[in-house]
Amino acid sequence: MLRVLAVDDEEPALEELLYLLRADPRIRSAEGATGATEALRRIGSAVEAGPGDPSAIDVVFLDIHMAGLTGLDVAQLLAGFAAPPLIVFVTAHEGFAVHAFDLKAVDYVLKPVRRERLAEAVRRVAEQVGDRSAPALDTANDQIPVELGGVIRFIPIDDIAYAEAQGDYARLHTDNGSHLVRVPLTTLEERWRSRGFVRIHRRHLVALGRIDELRLDAGSMSVRIGTAELAVSRRHARAVRDLLMRQTGR
């Protein structure tokens, strides 16, 4: 049973969110705060009192655009707490999803809030609160949020075969299709280097373990991933070949 604090400086939106939360049987209590300052005061008191106290908060459902401190500001401040509550962002603005997940948000729900979408967010929170033996927020690091038809979905990073630069965006290619995200390829390269992703060209970042073939033809190099054949630039050719040879033990 979850103890919730909902934060929104627009009272009608806050009341609607609280109504939906209180209707969920997994919610023990749901209280509201009409601004960031009030929310931080209540969260600080709850954290100081400890998880067994009646004022304890398991999760904060947090609007992003508020007067004064934004929801992103609140999340950054909570990151400095020893044992902060989980965070679910609830916002009308889809463009902050990647930043939100950098701040270890459990979920990102778009307004107007649909009952079934909110129920999915509550399920995610309940899973993390229930699993005390593992770091509560690690799951977010294994996924990337993408927008599909006005809904934020979560794509496991392990499902991504390669990413393709499209200006300041990147298109993520999986076995089941592709997804455009508002993140530059250079940013993904930095974040995913430790996960086995390798830059092979200014346009492409690939999962090393998903490469099926390395092809050499008249001095040019390419890799095959499924049905896609991607060029390897001269700048990256030697490093890619060395990594593949090392991976296969040759």
Side-chain angles (χ1 to χ4, degrees), residues 152-189:
I152 301 297
R153 303 291 186 192
F154 302 88
I155 303 300
I157 294 171
D158 288 344
D159 287 356
I160 298 168
Y162 66 96
E164 179 182 5
Q166 294 191 353
D168 291 333
Y169 293 66
R171 182 166 293 281
L172 309 179
H173 293 266
T174 71
D175 293 338
N176 299 316
S178 67
H179 311 277
L180 194 65
V181 294
R182 299 179 181 182
V183 189
L185 199 66
T186 52
T187 301
L188 294 180
E189 180 183 9

PDB file of all heavy atoms in Angstrom, residues 152-189:
ATOM      1  N   ILE A 152       3.988   8.044 -23.427  1.00  0.00           N
ATOM      2  CA  ILE A 152       5.391   7.729 -23.199  1.00  0.00           C
ATOM      3  C   ILE A 152       5.521   6.233 -22.936  1.00  0.00           C
ATOM      4  O   ILE A 152       4.902   5.692 -22.027  1.00  0.00           O
ATOM      5  CB  ILE A 152       5.963   8.524 -22.006  1.00  0.00           C
ATOM      6  CG1 ILE A 152       5.832  10.033 -22.262  1.00  0.00           C
ATOM      7  CG2 ILE A 152       7.423   8.153 -21.762  1.00  0.00           C
ATOM      8  CD1 ILE A 152       6.611  10.530 -23.450  1.00  0.00           C
ATOM      9  N   ARG A 153       6.299   5.562 -23.764  1.00  0.00           N
ATOM     10  CA  ARG A 153       6.588   4.138 -23.580  1.00  0.00           C
ATOM     11  C   ARG A 153       8.049   3.969 -23.180  1.00  0.00           C
ATOM     12  O   ARG A 153       8.845   4.876 -23.302  1.00  0.00           O
ATOM     13  CB  ARG A 153       6.321   3.361 -24.877  1.00  0.00           C
ATOM     14  CG  ARG A 153       4.911   3.504 -25.410  1.00  0.00           C
ATOM     15  CD  ARG A 153       3.902   2.823 -24.528  1.00  0.00           C
ATOM     16  NE  ARG A 153       2.574   2.831 -25.114  1.00  0.00           N
ATOM     17  CZ  ARG A 153       1.466   2.501 -24.465  1.00  0.00           C
ATOM     18  NH1 ARG A 153       1.544   2.108 -23.201  1.00  0.00           N
ATOM     19  NH2 ARG A 153       0.296   2.537 -25.073  1.00  0.00           N
ATOM     20  N   PHE A 154       8.382   2.763 -22.721  1.00  0.00           N
ATOM     21  CA  PHE A 154       9.741   2.493 -22.256  1.00  0.00           C
ATOM     22  C   PHE A 154      10.339   1.368 -23.078  1.00  0.00           C
ATOM     23  O   PHE A 154       9.794   0.270 -23.132  1.00  0.00           O
ATOM     24  CB  PHE A 154       9.725   2.119 -20.773  1.00  0.00           C
ATOM     25  CG  PHE A 154       9.117   3.193 -19.926  1.00  0.00           C
ATOM     26  CD1 PHE A 154       7.753   3.223 -19.701  1.00  0.00           C
ATOM     27  CD2 PHE A 154       9.901   4.198 -19.401  1.00  0.00           C
ATOM     28  CE1 PHE A 154       7.175   4.227 -18.945  1.00  0.00           C
ATOM     29  CE2 PHE A 154       9.338   5.203 -18.652  1.00  0.00           C
ATOM     30  CZ  PHE A 154       7.970   5.225 -18.419  1.00  0.00           C
ATOM     31  N   ILE A 155      11.457   1.666 -23.728  1.00  0.00           N
ATOM     32  CA  ILE A 155      12.135   0.697 -24.579  1.00  0.00           C
ATOM     33  C   ILE A 155      13.379   0.192 -23.838  1.00  0.00           C
ATOM     34  O   ILE A 155      14.250   0.996 -23.474  1.00  0.00           O
ATOM     35  CB  ILE A 155      12.559   1.331 -25.918  1.00  0.00           C
ATOM     36  CG1 ILE A 155      11.336   1.932 -26.637  1.00  0.00           C
ATOM     37  CG2 ILE A 155      13.253   0.304 -26.805  1.00  0.00           C
ATOM     38  CD1 ILE A 155      10.262   0.935 -26.966  1.00  0.00           C
ATOM     39  N   PRO A 156      13.480  -1.112 -23.591  1.00  0.00           N
ATOM     40  CA  PRO A 156      14.709  -1.625 -22.971  1.00  0.00           C
ATOM     41  C   PRO A 156      15.918  -1.322 -23.852  1.00  0.00           C
ATOM     42  O   PRO A 156      15.888  -1.544 -25.065  1.00  0.00           O
ATOM     43  CB  PRO A 156      14.450  -3.134 -22.867  1.00  0.00           C
ATOM     44  CG  PRO A 156      12.957  -3.279 -22.897  1.00  0.00           C
ATOM     45  CD  PRO A 156      12.479  -2.178 -23.804  1.00  0.00           C
ATOM     46  N   ILE A 157      16.975  -0.822 -23.257  1.00  0.00           N
ATOM     47  CA  ILE A 157      18.172  -0.494 -24.023  1.00  0.00           C
ATOM     48  C   ILE A 157      18.747  -1.743 -24.685  1.00  0.00           C
ATOM     49  O   ILE A 157      19.299  -1.690 -25.789  1.00  0.00           O
ATOM     50  CB  ILE A 157      19.206   0.200 -23.119  1.00  0.00           C
ATOM     51  CG1 ILE A 157      18.650   1.560 -22.677  1.00  0.00           C
ATOM     52  CG2 ILE A 157      20.535   0.395 -23.837  1.00  0.00           C
ATOM     53  CD1 ILE A 157      19.468   2.261 -21.626  1.00  0.00           C
ATOM     54  N   ASP A 158      18.589  -2.889 -24.035  1.00  0.00           N
ATOM     55  CA  ASP A 158      19.096  -4.137 -24.608  1.00  0.00           C
ATOM     56  C   ASP A 158      18.377  -4.513 -25.908  1.00  0.00           C
ATOM     57  O   ASP A 158      18.879  -5.347 -26.667  1.00  0.00           O
ATOM     58  CB  ASP A 158      18.958  -5.279 -23.605  1.00  0.00           C
ATOM     59  CG  ASP A 158      19.956  -5.163 -22.459  1.00  0.00           C
ATOM     60  OD1 ASP A 158      20.926  -4.399 -22.593  1.00  0.00           O
ATOM     61  OD2 ASP A 158      19.757  -5.819 -21.420  1.00  0.00           O
ATOM     62  N   ASP A 159      17.202  -3.930 -26.163  1.00  0.00           N
ATOM     63  CA  ASP A 159      16.469  -4.219 -27.397  1.00  0.00           C
ATOM     64  C   ASP A 159      16.947  -3.380 -28.574  1.00  0.00           C
ATOM     65  O   ASP A 159      16.544  -3.617 -29.711  1.00  0.00           O
ATOM     66  CB  ASP A 159      14.970  -3.965 -27.202  1.00  0.00           C
ATOM     67  CG  ASP A 159      14.301  -5.026 -26.346  1.00  0.00           C
ATOM     68  OD1 ASP A 159      14.981  -5.992 -25.962  1.00  0.00           O
ATOM     69  OD2 ASP A 159      13.097  -4.876 -26.048  1.00  0.00           O
ATOM     70  N   ILE A 160      17.788  -2.392 -28.315  1.00  0.00           N
ATOM     71  CA  ILE A 160      18.216  -1.462 -29.368  1.00  0.00           C
ATOM     72  C   ILE A 160      19.441  -2.021 -30.086  1.00  0.00           C
ATOM     73  O   ILE A 160      20.460  -2.316 -29.463  1.00  0.00           O
ATOM     74  CB  ILE A 160      18.527  -0.084 -28.767  1.00  0.00           C
ATOM     75  CG1 ILE A 160      17.248   0.499 -28.127  1.00  0.00           C
ATOM     76  CG2 ILE A 160      19.065   0.858 -29.838  1.00  0.00           C
ATOM     77  CD1 ILE A 160      17.508   1.700 -27.260  1.00  0.00           C
ATOM     78  N   ALA A 161      19.317  -2.187 -31.404  1.00  0.00           N
ATOM     79  CA  ALA A 161      20.431  -2.702 -32.212  1.00  0.00           C
ATOM     80  C   ALA A 161      21.387  -1.592 -32.619  1.00  0.00           C
ATOM     81  O   ALA A 161      22.601  -1.765 -32.591  1.00  0.00           O
ATOM     82  CB  ALA A 161      19.888  -3.410 -33.447  1.00  0.00           C
ATOM     83  N   TYR A 162      20.832  -0.450 -33.020  1.00  0.00           N
ATOM     84  CA  TYR A 162      21.677   0.692 -33.353  1.00  0.00           C
ATOM     85  C   TYR A 162      20.856   1.973 -33.314  1.00  0.00           C
ATOM     86  O   TYR A 162      19.617   1.944 -33.333  1.00  0.00           O
ATOM     87  CB  TYR A 162      22.357   0.526 -34.711  1.00  0.00           C
ATOM     88  CG  TYR A 162      21.456   0.508 -35.921  1.00  0.00           C
ATOM     89  CD1 TYR A 162      21.219   1.668 -36.669  1.00  0.00           C
ATOM     90  CD2 TYR A 162      20.857  -0.668 -36.354  1.00  0.00           C
ATOM     91  CE1 TYR A 162      20.414   1.654 -37.799  1.00  0.00           C
ATOM     92  CE2 TYR A 162      20.049  -0.691 -37.482  1.00  0.00           C
ATOM     93  CZ  TYR A 162      19.827   0.468 -38.196  1.00  0.00           C
ATOM     94  OH  TYR A 162      19.013   0.441 -39.310  1.00  0.00           O
ATOM     95  N   ALA A 163      21.563   3.080 -33.212  1.00  0.00           N
ATOM     96  CA  ALA A 163      20.929   4.401 -33.193  1.00  0.00           C
ATOM     97  C   ALA A 163      21.485   5.220 -34.348  1.00  0.00           C
ATOM     98  O   ALA A 163      22.670   5.129 -34.678  1.00  0.00           O
ATOM     99  CB  ALA A 163      21.192   5.102 -31.861  1.00  0.00           C
ATOM    100  N   GLU A 164      20.612   6.008 -34.948  1.00  0.00           N
ATOM    101  CA  GLU A 164      20.964   6.782 -36.142  1.00  0.00           C
ATOM    102  C   GLU A 164      20.734   8.262 -35.885  1.00  0.00           C
ATOM    103  O   GLU A 164      19.662   8.661 -35.407  1.00  0.00           O
ATOM    104  CB  GLU A 164      20.090   6.311 -37.307  1.00  0.00           C
ATOM    105  CG  GLU A 164      20.311   7.030 -38.611  1.00  0.00           C
ATOM    106  CD  GLU A 164      19.381   6.530 -39.698  1.00  0.00           C
ATOM    107  OE1 GLU A 164      18.501   5.684 -39.400  1.00  0.00           O
ATOM    108  OE2 GLU A 164      19.534   6.988 -40.848  1.00  0.00           O
ATOM    109  N   ALA A 165      21.727   9.086 -36.164  1.00  0.00           N
ATOM    110  CA  ALA A 165      21.614  10.529 -35.949  1.00  0.00           C
ATOM    111  C   ALA A 165      20.648  11.136 -36.953  1.00  0.00           C
ATOM    112  O   ALA A 165      20.709  10.844 -38.155  1.00  0.00           O
ATOM    113  CB  ALA A 165      22.984  11.184 -36.073  1.00  0.00           C
ATOM    114  N   GLN A 166      19.767  11.998 -36.447  1.00  0.00           N
ATOM    115  CA  GLN A 166      18.875  12.782 -37.301  1.00  0.00           C
ATOM    116  C   GLN A 166      18.838  14.194 -36.728  1.00  0.00           C
ATOM    117  O   GLN A 166      17.933  14.549 -35.981  1.00  0.00           O
ATOM    118  CB  GLN A 166      17.485  12.150 -37.369  1.00  0.00           C
ATOM    119  CG  GLN A 166      17.477  10.796 -38.068  1.00  0.00           C
ATOM    120  CD  GLN A 166      16.083  10.274 -38.369  1.00  0.00           C
ATOM    121  OE1 GLN A 166      15.070  10.837 -37.953  1.00  0.00           O
ATOM    122  NE2 GLN A 166      16.018   9.178 -39.099  1.00  0.00           N
ATOM    123  N   GLY A 167      19.870  14.981 -37.055  1.00  0.00           N
ATOM    124  CA  GLY A 167      19.997  16.314 -36.486  1.00  0.00           C
ATOM    125  C   GLY A 167      20.260  16.227 -34.993  1.00  0.00           C
ATOM    126  O   GLY A 167      21.154  15.521 -34.545  1.00  0.00           O
ATOM    127  N   ASP A 168      19.468  16.972 -34.228  1.00  0.00           N
ATOM    128  CA  ASP A 168      19.582  16.934 -32.766  1.00  0.00           C
ATOM    129  C   ASP A 168      18.781  15.781 -32.168  1.00  0.00           C
ATOM    130  O   ASP A 168      18.666  15.678 -30.945  1.00  0.00           O
ATOM    131  CB  ASP A 168      19.088  18.251 -32.165  1.00  0.00           C
ATOM    132  CG  ASP A 168      20.034  19.407 -32.485  1.00  0.00           C
ATOM    133  OD1 ASP A 168      21.232  19.136 -32.678  1.00  0.00           O
ATOM    134  OD2 ASP A 168      19.576  20.557 -32.543  1.00  0.00           O
ATOM    135  N   TYR A 169      18.230  14.926 -33.012  1.00  0.00           N
ATOM    136  CA  TYR A 169      17.470  13.764 -32.572  1.00  0.00           C
ATOM    137  C   TYR A 169      18.265  12.497 -32.872  1.00  0.00           C
ATOM    138  O   TYR A 169      19.294  12.521 -33.548  1.00  0.00           O
ATOM    139  CB  TYR A 169      16.126  13.681 -33.303  1.00  0.00           C
ATOM    140  CG  TYR A 169      15.148  14.783 -32.977  1.00  0.00           C
ATOM    141  CD1 TYR A 169      15.386  16.114 -33.312  1.00  0.00           C
ATOM    142  CD2 TYR A 169      13.938  14.490 -32.343  1.00  0.00           C
ATOM    143  CE1 TYR A 169      14.479  17.119 -33.020  1.00  0.00           C
ATOM    144  CE2 TYR A 169      13.019  15.483 -32.053  1.00  0.00           C
ATOM    145  CZ  TYR A 169      13.290  16.795 -32.394  1.00  0.00           C
ATOM    146  OH  TYR A 169      12.387  17.782 -32.106  1.00  0.00           O
ATOM    147  N   ALA A 170      17.762  11.383 -32.367  1.00  0.00           N
ATOM    148  CA  ALA A 170      18.319  10.078 -32.719  1.00  0.00           C
ATOM    149  C   ALA A 170      17.171   9.110 -32.959  1.00  0.00           C
ATOM    150  O   ALA A 170      16.168   9.134 -32.238  1.00  0.00           O
ATOM    151  CB  ALA A 170      19.228   9.549 -31.607  1.00  0.00           C
ATOM    152  N   ARG A 171      17.318   8.279 -33.975  1.00  0.00           N
ATOM    153  CA  ARG A 171      16.319   7.236 -34.235  1.00  0.00           C
ATOM    154  C   ARG A 171      16.872   5.908 -33.732  1.00  0.00           C
ATOM    155  O   ARG A 171      17.956   5.484 -34.142  1.00  0.00           O
ATOM    156  CB  ARG A 171      15.976   7.156 -35.719  1.00  0.00           C
ATOM    157  CG  ARG A 171      14.896   6.099 -36.021  1.00  0.00           C
ATOM    158  CD  ARG A 171      14.329   6.255 -37.406  1.00  0.00           C
ATOM    159  NE  ARG A 171      13.576   7.480 -37.559  1.00  0.00           N
ATOM    160  CZ  ARG A 171      12.328   7.653 -37.136  1.00  0.00           C
ATOM    161  NH1 ARG A 171      11.676   6.660 -36.511  1.00  0.00           N
ATOM    162  NH2 ARG A 171      11.719   8.803 -37.335  1.00  0.00           N
ATOM    163  N   LEU A 172      16.121   5.276 -32.845  1.00  0.00           N
ATOM    164  CA  LEU A 172      16.540   4.017 -32.238  1.00  0.00           C
ATOM    165  C   LEU A 172      15.925   2.862 -33.010  1.00  0.00           C
ATOM    166  O   LEU A 172      14.703   2.814 -33.188  1.00  0.00           O
ATOM    167  CB  LEU A 172      16.082   3.964 -30.771  1.00  0.00           C
ATOM    168  CG  LEU A 172      16.431   5.176 -29.909  1.00  0.00           C
ATOM    169  CD1 LEU A 172      15.894   4.985 -28.495  1.00  0.00           C
ATOM    170  CD2 LEU A 172      17.929   5.434 -29.902  1.00  0.00           C
ATOM    171  N   HIS A 173      16.746   1.946 -33.459  1.00  0.00           N
ATOM    172  CA  HIS A 173      16.277   0.817 -34.260  1.00  0.00           C
ATOM    173  C   HIS A 173      16.280  -0.455 -33.412  1.00  0.00           C
ATOM    174  O   HIS A 173      17.308  -0.825 -32.830  1.00  0.00           O
ATOM    175  CB  HIS A 173      17.170   0.626 -35.487  1.00  0.00           C
ATOM    176  CG  HIS A 173      17.085   1.751 -36.472  1.00  0.00           C
ATOM    177  ND1 HIS A 173      16.234   1.727 -37.562  1.00  0.00           N
ATOM    178  CD2 HIS A 173      17.730   2.946 -36.515  1.00  0.00           C
ATOM    179  CE1 HIS A 173      16.376   2.849 -38.243  1.00  0.00           C
ATOM    180  NE2 HIS A 173      17.275   3.606 -37.632  1.00  0.00           N
ATOM    181  N   THR A 174      15.126  -1.106 -33.346  1.00  0.00           N
ATOM    182  CA  THR A 174      14.987  -2.384 -32.655  1.00  0.00           C
ATOM    183  C   THR A 174      14.491  -3.427 -33.652  1.00  0.00           C
ATOM    184  O   THR A 174      14.204  -3.108 -34.809  1.00  0.00           O
ATOM    185  CB  THR A 174      13.994  -2.285 -31.482  1.00  0.00           C
ATOM    186  OG1 THR A 174      12.656  -2.159 -32.013  1.00  0.00           O
ATOM    187  CG2 THR A 174      14.294  -1.074 -30.597  1.00  0.00           C
ATOM    188  N   ASP A 175      14.353  -4.658 -33.198  1.00  0.00           N
ATOM    189  CA  ASP A 175      13.840  -5.707 -34.080  1.00  0.00           C
ATOM    190  C   ASP A 175      12.388  -5.453 -34.477  1.00  0.00           C
ATOM    191  O   ASP A 175      11.913  -5.983 -35.484  1.00  0.00           O
ATOM    192  CB  ASP A 175      13.931  -7.071 -33.383  1.00  0.00           C
ATOM    193  CG  ASP A 175      15.379  -7.511 -33.172  1.00  0.00           C
ATOM    194  OD1 ASP A 175      16.257  -7.002 -33.897  1.00  0.00           O
ATOM    195  OD2 ASP A 175      15.617  -8.351 -32.286  1.00  0.00           O
ATOM    196  N   ASN A 176      11.687  -4.635 -33.694  1.00  0.00           N
ATOM    197  CA  ASN A 176      10.253  -4.425 -33.924  1.00  0.00           C
ATOM    198  C   ASN A 176       9.907  -3.068 -34.516  1.00  0.00           C
ATOM    199  O   ASN A 176       8.735  -2.728 -34.629  1.00  0.00           O
ATOM    200  CB  ASN A 176       9.490  -4.608 -32.608  1.00  0.00           C
ATOM    201  CG  ASN A 176       9.649  -5.996 -32.037  1.00  0.00           C
ATOM    202  OD1 ASN A 176       9.563  -6.971 -32.767  1.00  0.00           O
ATOM    203  ND2 ASN A 176       9.898  -6.093 -30.737  1.00  0.00           N
ATOM    204  N   GLY A 177      10.930  -2.293 -34.892  1.00  0.00           N
ATOM    205  CA  GLY A 177      10.630  -0.986 -35.470  1.00  0.00           C
ATOM    206  C   GLY A 177      11.647   0.040 -35.017  1.00  0.00           C
ATOM    207  O   GLY A 177      12.732  -0.293 -34.527  1.00  0.00           O
ATOM    208  N   SER A 178      11.298   1.322 -35.178  1.00  0.00           N
ATOM    209  CA  SER A 178      12.214   2.396 -34.797  1.00  0.00           C
ATOM    210  C   SER A 178      11.453   3.474 -34.045  1.00  0.00           C
ATOM    211  O   SER A 178      10.230   3.613 -34.180  1.00  0.00           O
ATOM    212  CB  SER A 178      12.898   2.987 -36.033  1.00  0.00           C
ATOM    213  OG  SER A 178      11.960   3.661 -36.854  1.00  0.00           O
ATOM    214  N   HIS A 179      12.200   4.250 -33.256  1.00  0.00           N
ATOM    215  CA  HIS A 179      11.611   5.274 -32.398  1.00  0.00           C
ATOM    216  C   HIS A 179      12.512   6.499 -32.413  1.00  0.00           C
ATOM    217  O   HIS A 179      13.728   6.383 -32.264  1.00  0.00           O
ATOM    218  CB  HIS A 179      11.465   4.762 -30.965  1.00  0.00           C
ATOM    219  CG  HIS A 179      10.828   3.416 -30.869  1.00  0.00           C
ATOM    220  ND1 HIS A 179       9.460   3.241 -30.893  1.00  0.00           N
ATOM    221  CD2 HIS A 179      11.375   2.181 -30.771  1.00  0.00           C
ATOM    222  CE1 HIS A 179       9.196   1.941 -30.808  1.00  0.00           C
ATOM    223  NE2 HIS A 179      10.338   1.287 -30.728  1.00  0.00           N
ATOM    224  N   LEU A 180      11.910   7.677 -32.582  1.00  0.00           N
ATOM    225  CA  LEU A 180      12.663   8.928 -32.599  1.00  0.00           C
ATOM    226  C   LEU A 180      12.667   9.523 -31.192  1.00  0.00           C
ATOM    227  O   LEU A 180      11.619   9.641 -30.559  1.00  0.00           O
ATOM    228  CB  LEU A 180      12.027   9.904 -33.583  1.00  0.00           C
ATOM    229  CG  LEU A 180      12.862  11.128 -33.973  1.00  0.00           C
ATOM    230  CD1 LEU A 180      14.107  10.701 -34.739  1.00  0.00           C
ATOM    231  CD2 LEU A 180      12.012  12.084 -34.804  1.00  0.00           C
ATOM    232  N   VAL A 181      13.859   9.877 -30.698  1.00  0.00           N
ATOM    233  CA  VAL A 181      13.975  10.492 -29.380  1.00  0.00           C
ATOM    234  C   VAL A 181      14.708  11.822 -29.501  1.00  0.00           C
ATOM    235  O   VAL A 181      15.548  12.001 -30.383  1.00  0.00           O
ATOM    236  CB  VAL A 181      14.710   9.577 -28.368  1.00  0.00           C
ATOM    237  CG1 VAL A 181      13.901   8.330 -28.084  1.00  0.00           C
ATOM    238  CG2 VAL A 181      16.101   9.206 -28.869  1.00  0.00           C
ATOM    239  N   ARG A 182      14.398  12.730 -28.599  1.00  0.00           N
ATOM    240  CA  ARG A 182      14.996  14.068 -28.650  1.00  0.00           C
ATOM    241  C   ARG A 182      16.307  14.087 -27.879  1.00  0.00           C
ATOM    242  O   ARG A 182      16.472  14.816 -26.907  1.00  0.00           O
ATOM    243  CB  ARG A 182      14.010  15.081 -28.075  1.00  0.00           C
ATOM    244  CG  ARG A 182      12.717  15.150 -28.851  1.00  0.00           C
ATOM    245  CD  ARG A 182      11.758  16.141 -28.249  1.00  0.00           C
ATOM    246  NE  ARG A 182      10.510  16.189 -28.994  1.00  0.00           N
ATOM    247  CZ  ARG A 182       9.502  16.992 -28.719  1.00  0.00           C
ATOM    248  NH1 ARG A 182       9.565  17.817 -27.709  1.00  0.00           N
ATOM    249  NH2 ARG A 182       8.406  16.972 -29.454  1.00  0.00           N
ATOM    250  N   VAL A 183      17.244  13.288 -28.325  1.00  0.00           N
ATOM    251  CA  VAL A 183      18.570  13.201 -27.697  1.00  0.00           C
ATOM    252  C   VAL A 183      19.607  13.123 -28.808  1.00  0.00           C
ATOM    253  O   VAL A 183      19.481  12.295 -29.709  1.00  0.00           O
ATOM    254  CB  VAL A 183      18.697  11.942 -26.807  1.00  0.00           C
ATOM    255  CG1 VAL A 183      19.990  11.998 -26.004  1.00  0.00           C
ATOM    256  CG2 VAL A 183      17.504  11.794 -25.883  1.00  0.00           C
ATOM    257  N   PRO A 184      20.652  13.949 -28.769  1.00  0.00           N
ATOM    258  CA  PRO A 184      21.701  13.846 -29.786  1.00  0.00           C
ATOM    259  C   PRO A 184      22.447  12.519 -29.679  1.00  0.00           C
ATOM    260  O   PRO A 184      22.575  11.948 -28.590  1.00  0.00           O
ATOM    261  CB  PRO A 184      22.632  15.026 -29.459  1.00  0.00           C
ATOM    262  CG  PRO A 184      21.832  15.943 -28.608  1.00  0.00           C
ATOM    263  CD  PRO A 184      20.880  15.071 -27.851  1.00  0.00           C
ATOM    264  N   LEU A 185      22.969  12.054 -30.810  1.00  0.00           N
ATOM    265  CA  LEU A 185      23.686  10.783 -30.821  1.00  0.00           C
ATOM    266  C   LEU A 185      24.923  10.834 -29.918  1.00  0.00           C
ATOM    267  O   LEU A 185      25.280   9.835 -29.282  1.00  0.00           O
ATOM    268  CB  LEU A 185      24.095  10.429 -32.252  1.00  0.00           C
ATOM    269  CG  LEU A 185      24.448   8.958 -32.502  1.00  0.00           C
ATOM    270  CD1 LEU A 185      23.232   8.067 -32.323  1.00  0.00           C
ATOM    271  CD2 LEU A 185      25.026   8.775 -33.896  1.00  0.00           C
ATOM    272  N   THR A 186      25.572  11.985 -29.838  1.00  0.00           N
ATOM    273  CA  THR A 186      26.758  12.103 -28.980  1.00  0.00           C
ATOM    274  C   THR A 186      26.413  11.871 -27.513  1.00  0.00           C
ATOM    275  O   THR A 186      27.207  11.295 -26.759  1.00  0.00           O
ATOM    276  CB  THR A 186      27.417  13.479 -29.136  1.00  0.00           C
ATOM    277  OG1 THR A 186      26.429  14.502 -28.945  1.00  0.00           O
ATOM    278  CG2 THR A 186      28.031  13.641 -30.502  1.00  0.00           C
ATOM    279  N   THR A 187      25.234  12.297 -27.098  1.00  0.00           N
ATOM    280  CA  THR A 187      24.800  12.075 -25.716  1.00  0.00           C
ATOM    281  C   THR A 187      24.564  10.596 -25.456  1.00  0.00           C
ATOM    282  O   THR A 187      24.975  10.051 -24.423  1.00  0.00           O
ATOM    283  CB  THR A 187      23.523  12.879 -25.431  1.00  0.00           C
ATOM    284  OG1 THR A 187      23.775  14.267 -25.634  1.00  0.00           O
ATOM    285  CG2 THR A 187      23.055  12.658 -23.987  1.00  0.00           C
ATOM    286  N   LEU A 188      23.900   9.922 -26.402  1.00  0.00           N
ATOM    287  CA  LEU A 188      23.679   8.480 -26.244  1.00  0.00           C
ATOM    288  C   LEU A 188      25.006   7.726 -26.226  1.00  0.00           C
ATOM    289  O   LEU A 188      25.165   6.748 -25.488  1.00  0.00           O
ATOM    290  CB  LEU A 188      22.796   7.963 -27.379  1.00  0.00           C
ATOM    291  CG  LEU A 188      21.357   8.478 -27.406  1.00  0.00           C
ATOM    292  CD1 LEU A 188      20.610   7.867 -28.592  1.00  0.00           C
ATOM    293  CD2 LEU A 188      20.632   8.159 -26.102  1.00  0.00           C
ATOM    294  N   GLU A 189      25.957   8.180 -27.039  1.00  0.00           N
ATOM    295  CA  GLU A 189      27.268   7.528 -27.069  1.00  0.00           C
ATOM    296  C   GLU A 189      27.919   7.567 -25.688  1.00  0.00           C
ATOM    297  O   GLU A 189      28.469   6.570 -25.206  1.00  0.00           O
ATOM    298  CB  GLU A 189      28.165   8.219 -28.097  1.00  0.00           C
ATOM    299  CG  GLU A 189      29.568   7.610 -28.197  1.00  0.00           C
ATOM    300  CD  GLU A 189      30.447   8.365 -29.174  1.00  0.00           C
ATOM    301  OE1 GLU A 189      30.044   9.447 -29.638  1.00  0.00           O
ATOM    302  OE2 GLU A 189      31.553   7.863 -29.457  1.00  0.00           O
TER     303      GLU A 189
END
